[in-house]
Amino acid sequence: MERTATIDRNTTETKIKLTLNLDGQGTYNVRTGIRFFDHMLELFTRHGGFDMDLHCDGDLDVDQHHTVEDVGIALGEAVDKALGDKKGILRAGYFVMAMDETLAVAAIDLSGRTGYVVDDQVNVPLVGDFQTELVTDFFDGFARGGRCNVHVKTMYGRSNHHKIEAIFKAFARALRGAVSRDERMKDLLPSTKGLL
């Protein structure tokens, strides 16, 4: 049974329609109006093995903040909704991603609690058309929407493009692990609290 969710998020700042399949083939159709951000979401989908259709119409005439943060929130909500009661998932995942001269790490816990840490080591205000300070806002939004802990860090690297890209790839693969089914514990919630 495929784990899918559709999120319609409409505010005065953004209008988002997002459909996510956690058990997909890595296919995507992404349009946010920010090409570099689209690229990061596309590779997130491919490396996660998810399918995603995402259209965001945001107030880019103001700046990119609302678009990036709200997409993070909507994506987190979609993951949380698609997981349902979370029985039988691994819950936690991590990945270390090498990308040329850059190394990044990501760790995720689908704990039901919100927390995030972002250390991307990016030292320029723009990569392509993307405001780089918004990497943090995306992961903040995802953690809130997904009710989870997200930690991402660039260990080292030269290219700012690679630093961000390696983080998104590591994040995708860490999430892929966290949402994976554990057949040995398929009827159990991965918590001793009885609630996630």
Side-chain angles (χ1 to χ4, degrees), residues 33-108:
I34 308 165
R35 188 61 196 109
F36 184 82
F37 187 43
D38 290 351
H39 178 46
M40 294 303 102
L41 294 168
E42 290 165 356
L43 62 85
F44 159 81
T45 306
R46 181 61 51 87
H47 283 263
F50 313 127
D51 292 341
M52 183 166 66
D53 190 68
L54 166 65
H55 181 261
C56 176
D57 182 16
D59 58 357
L60 294 177
D61 56 317
V62 173
D63 80 353
Q64 298 176 356
H65 172 82
H66 300 138
T67 294
V68 174
E69 180 180 50
D70 287 5
V71 166
I73 292 168
L75 182 56
E77 288 175 346
V79 169
D80 191 49
K81 184 177 177 182
L83 287 173
D85 64 12
K86 297 184 182 175
K87 283 184 179 175
I89 64 167
L90 289 179
R91 175 182 152 173
Y94 66 92
F95 201 83
V96 179
M97 187 76 199
M99 183 174 177
D100 299 341
E101 85 298 342
T102 300
L103 189 73
V105 62
I108 296 172

Side-chain angles (χ1 to χ4, degrees), residues 1-5 20-25 51 82 181:
M1 185 172 181
E2 288 187 340
R3 297 170 297 169
T4 62
L20 179 71
N21 178 355
L22 294 176
D23 303 306
Q25 302 294 314
D51 292 341
R181 293 181 172 107

Side-chain angles (χ1 to χ4, degrees), residues 18-189:
L18 189 157
T19 301
L20 179 71
N21 178 355
L22 294 176
D23 303 306
Q25 302 294 314
T27 64
Y28 52 81
N29 179 18
V30 175
R31 294 183 317 279
T32 67
I34 308 165
R35 188 61 196 109
F36 184 82
F37 187 43
D38 290 351
H39 178 46
M40 294 303 102
L41 294 168
E42 290 165 356
L43 62 85
F44 159 81
T45 306
R46 181 61 51 87
H47 283 263
F50 313 127
D51 292 341
M52 183 166 66
D53 190 68
L54 166 65
H55 181 261
C56 176
D57 182 16
D59 58 357
L60 294 177
D61 56 317
V62 173
D63 80 353
Q64 298 176 356
H65 172 82
H66 300 138
T67 294
V68 174
E69 180 180 50
D70 287 5
V71 166
I73 292 168
L75 182 56
E77 288 175 346
V79 169
D80 191 49
K81 184 177 177 182
L83 287 173
D85 64 12
K86 297 184 182 175
K87 283 184 179 175
I89 64 167
L90 289 179
R91 175 182 152 173
Y94 66 92
F95 201 83
V96 179
M97 187 76 199
M99 183 174 177
D100 299 341
E101 85 298 342
T102 300
L103 189 73
V105 62
I108 296 172
D109 182 11
L110 300 170
S111 62
R113 298 181 309 277
T114 300
Y116 73 96
V117 176
V118 176
D119 182 3
D120 59 24
Q121 303 290 315
V122 173
N123 54 22
V124 295
L126 288 172
V127 171
D129 63 342
F130 180 69
Q131 296 170 252
T132 58
E133 69 177 4
L134 299 178
V135 170
T136 299
D137 298 89
F138 171 79
F139 288 110
D140 172 16
F142 183 90
R144 283 187 282 132
R147 301 181 312 117
C148 61
N149 302 159
V150 178
H151 294 247
V152 294
K153 179 177 177 62
T154 300
M155 305 305 292
Y156 49 80
R158 178 196 57 79
S159 164
N160 290 291
H161 182 129
H162 289 172
K163 291 173 187 176
I164 297 172
E165 186 165 340
I167 278 178
F168 271 83
K169 287 177 177 176
F171 169 63
R173 291 187 176 266
L175 183 61
R176 182 176 181 168
V179 304
S180 293
R181 293 181 172 107
D182 182 347
E183 283 302 313
R184 291 183 307 133
M185 301 179 73
K186 63 184 175 184
D187 297 321
L188 297 176
L189 194 66

